């Protein structure tokens, strides 16, 4: 009886009040206290065959680390997680757990809208132990191999895939250099995901940790432009890992999309997050903000763009008025449920079943309105989600002096275009052997969003881990 009650007491992580958090970019979710973490971990049924583990793309032993929390063995819990996941403090903050481990938890009620509401909050517990590890400077075992410093490996891109691969190799004593085209490291973790979801000290800690174990980072360096893959091999790199991400935004392809004050979400977020536009003029990059902001899309990128825009309205003294436009309904939105919930609490408005048709502008070339059609849902498409069908004659207009387009990202082809031997698919993604993540070029491996398109942080890391194993085997063969 007592157990039953414990299982119903879902622990909600502390959060900053919506009215306060929209005044800045500080972290929204405060995480669990020790007491809450123990209570939440104690809700775990310790299933004989824990389904949650198969729901985790890297197979963390969730059952074990939750049990260790209940025993107050936080170091043990940290190392259990670290066996599979290099960045628990990051994943604990950004993983779409409701589609992954929590979806597989037996406490998830199938068929209801917020199906995982009763599932164990595995992500908050992962964050708890990750932050504990960072605070107490717990070092994961280096496990150095005989490969030592005989080989050096080049990693292209410093997003989750690149830094995960770099860490795996460096911990085996292999010399790794990470080349990054931007002036700062972290990929989407820095230029896409805002600090109110992933504070920069959490990211900096992980990157500094890699530097401490000998990983070199070379920013402002576009591989394919500054140097080709052949040139890197000629410089003595024994293997190369490509973690190029999916950095090129897609657009709607409708009339008027080139009016001023229509941004891709990528540009908008890069200005805000990477270039600190929210601190302009202290930082030099500005970003325009409007009175009527429309954000088109339903994924994490759309939620991040909308929540940044609303904060900028607030900071600039404009009455917050930001609306997310999505062509399906909330059920089909791919964004993390927590982000949708937070966006709504913060005052973001949602308009579902809307398909933009055209942007109109003034004689100076600035956007003023969006014309759209209402939709209904038809049969499911290839993604399994019901297809939006525009309703003829349902035209309507919305005021819009700033629009942000967040309808998807695709591969950046700077490197692949100058490397014809590197096989790509029709989307420009790099083709790999799924077992080894090796590309069509011997000694060149790839993982993350450049393989198979937009995914998640943990999926990118899972691929990078697999690739790092194959890289080690490749180096051993060269011995
Ligand atoms: P990226 O993170 O894109 O990193 C690639 C890096 O490679 C970049 O830094 C790029 O500058 C660099 N690069 C590219 N080409 C070159 C070159 N030729 N030379 C040198 N460097 C190069 N996932 C989640 O799990 N949870 C979330 O909450 C979430 N939110 C998101 C929010 C936004 C706004 C976006 C855009 C994505 C989000 N995602 C989220 C998806 C997730 O961030 C990606 O799946 C993940 O970052 C992919 O990692 P990656 O290392 O493959 O690529």
């Amino acid at each position: 009886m007592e157990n039953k009650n414990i299982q119903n007491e879902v622990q909600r992580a502390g959060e900053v009040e919506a009215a306060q958090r929209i005044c800045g970019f500080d972290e929204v979710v405060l995480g669990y206290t020790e007491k809450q973490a123990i209570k939440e971990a104690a809700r775990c049924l310790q299933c004989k065959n824990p389904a949650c583990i198969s729901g985790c793309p890297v197979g963390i032993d969730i059952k074990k680390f939750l049990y260790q929390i209940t025993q107050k063995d936080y170091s043990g819990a940290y190392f259990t997680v670290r066996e599979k996941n290099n960045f628990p403090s990051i994943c604990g903050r950004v993983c779409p757990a409701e589609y992954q481990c929590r979806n597989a938890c037996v406490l998830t009620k199938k068929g209801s809208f917020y199906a995982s509401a009763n599932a164990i909050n595995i992500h908050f517990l992962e964050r708890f132990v990750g932050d504990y590890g960072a605070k107490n400077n717990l070092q994961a075992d280096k496990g150095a191999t005989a490969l030592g410093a005989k080989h050096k490996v080049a990693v292209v891109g410093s997003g989750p895939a690149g830094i995960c691969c770099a860490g795996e190799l460096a911990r085996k004593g292999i010399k790794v250099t990470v080349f990054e085209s931007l002036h700062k490291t972290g990929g989407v973790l820095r230029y896409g995901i805002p600090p109110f979801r992933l504070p920069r000290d959490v990211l900096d800690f992980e990157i500094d940790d890699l530097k401490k174990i000998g990983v070199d980072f070379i920013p402002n360096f576009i591989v394919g432009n500054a140097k080709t893959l052949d040139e890197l091999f000629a410089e003595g790199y024994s293997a190369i890992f490509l973690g190029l991400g999916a950095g090129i935004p897609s657009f709607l392809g409708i009339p008027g999309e080139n009016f001023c004050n229509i941004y891709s979400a990528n540009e908008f977020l890069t200005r805000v997050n990477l270039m600190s536009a929210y601190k302009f003029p202290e930082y030099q990059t500005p970003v325009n903000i409007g009175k009527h902001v429309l954000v088109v899309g339903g994924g994490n990128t759309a939620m991040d763009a909308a929540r940044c825009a609303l904060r900028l309205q607030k900071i600039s003294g404009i009455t917050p008025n930001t609306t997310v436009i999505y062509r399906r309904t909330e059920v089909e939105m791919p964004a993390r449920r927590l982000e949708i919930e937070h966006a709504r609490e913060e005052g973001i408005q949602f308009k579902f079943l809307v398909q933009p048709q055209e942007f109109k502008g003034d004689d100076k070339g600035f956007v003023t309105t969006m014309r759209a059609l209402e939709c209904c849902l038809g049969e499911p498409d290839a993604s399994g989600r019901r297809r939006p069908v525009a309703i003829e004659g349902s035209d309507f207009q919305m005021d819009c002096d700033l629009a942000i387009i967040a309808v998807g990202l695709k591969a950046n082809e700077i490197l692949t275009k100058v490397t014809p031997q590197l096989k790509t698919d029709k989307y420009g993604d790099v083709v790999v052997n799924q077992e080894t993540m090796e590309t069509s070029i011997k000694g060149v491996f790839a993982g993350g969003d450049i393989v198979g398109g937009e995914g998640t942080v943990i999926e990118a890391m899972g691929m990078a881990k697999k690739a790092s194993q194959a890289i080690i085997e490749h180096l051993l063969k060269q011995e």
Side-chain angles (χ1 to χ4, degrees), residues 187-305:
V188 171
L189 301 176
R190 192 174 306 271
Y191 77 75
I193 298 180
F196 54 78
R197 282 216 288 135
L198 179 62
R200 295 312 182 240
D201 55 348
V202 174
L203 178 58
D204 290 341
F205 176 86
E206 299 295 358
I207 299 210
D208 288 346
D209 208 38
L210 294 178
K211 289 180 185 163
K212 278 189 212 149
I213 57 170
V215 177
D216 282 335
F217 287 90
I218 303 190
N220 296 312
F221 195 106
I222 303 178
V223 176
N225 214 330
K227 271 193 183 131
T228 62
L229 297 185
D230 282 344
E231 284 170 324
L232 290 179
F233 278 127
E235 281 184 12
Y237 289 98
S238 308
I240 301 173
F241 174 78
L242 306 177
L244 309 173
I248 299 297
S250 300
F251 285 92
L252 293 161
I254 59 173
E257 216 173 355
N258 287 331
F259 277 119
C260 297
N261 280 358
I262 301 182
Y263 288 93
S264 71
N266 241 28
E267 180 184 347
F268 184 78
L269 288 169
T270 301
R271 281 174 181 265
V272 176
N273 297 323
L274 183 71
M275 313 300 283
S276 304
Y278 62 96
K279 292 183 190 156
F280 181 81
E282 184 190 338
Y283 284 76
Q284 284 179 353
T285 302
V287 68
N288 288 348
I289 196 70
K291 288 185 179 151
H292 301 278
V293 179
L294 298 184
V295 179
V296 184
N300 287 321
T301 309
M303 292 308 102
D304 286 341

Side-chain angles (χ1 to χ4, degrees), residues 315-334:
I315 292 168
S316 319
I318 298 169
T319 308
N321 184 339
T322 294
T323 307
V324 169
I325 303 292
Y326 184 53
R327 59 195 185 133
R328 294 182 163 102
T329 73
E330 184 169 346
V331 179
E332 291 83 26
M333 279 176 86

Side-chain angles (χ1 to χ4, degrees), residues 123-201:
H123 55 314
F124 288 147
L125 292 167
E126 184 183 23
R127 166 185 166 150
F128 175 79
V129 296
D131 289 358
Y132 178 89
K135 215 180 291 162
N136 293 284
N137 214 13
L138 300 182
Q139 296 293 329
D141 183 17
K142 280 187 99 177
T145 62
L147 290 167
K150 275 184 274 174
H151 294 278
K152 54 177 188 171
V153 173
V155 168
V156 186
S158 67
I163 57 174
C164 175
C165 182
E168 288 290 304
L169 297 175
R171 281 190 189 87
K172 297 276 184 281
I174 297 160
K175 186 75 203 134
V176 183
T177 304
V178 180
F179 297 94
E180 168 55 52
S181 56
L182 296 171
H183 67 289
K184 285 191 178 171
T185 48
V188 171
L189 301 176
R190 192 174 306 271
Y191 77 75
I193 298 180
F196 54 78
R197 282 216 288 135
L198 179 62
R200 295 312 182 240
D201 55 348

Side-chain angles (χ1 to χ4, degrees), residues 252-259 262 294 296 325 354-361 367-373 395-400 403 405:
L252 293 161
I254 59 173
E257 216 173 355
N258 287 331
F259 277 119
I262 301 182
L294 298 184
V296 184
I325 303 292
V354 172
Q355 187 142 319
Q357 298 295 301
E358 178 185 9
F359 287 105
K360 296 178 183 173
V367 66
T368 54
T369 37
M370 181 191 76
R371 183 174 67 80
L373 287 175
D395 286 61
F396 66 97
Q397 301 214 21
M398 290 182 79
D399 287 341
C400 166
I405 314 298

Side-chain angles (χ1 to χ4, degrees), residues 36 47 50 62 88 144 181 183 195 254 298 309 333 374 381 388:
Q36 280 183 306
C47 302
I62 295 167
S181 56
H183 67 289
I254 59 173
M333 279 176 86
E374 287 174 9
D381 63 15

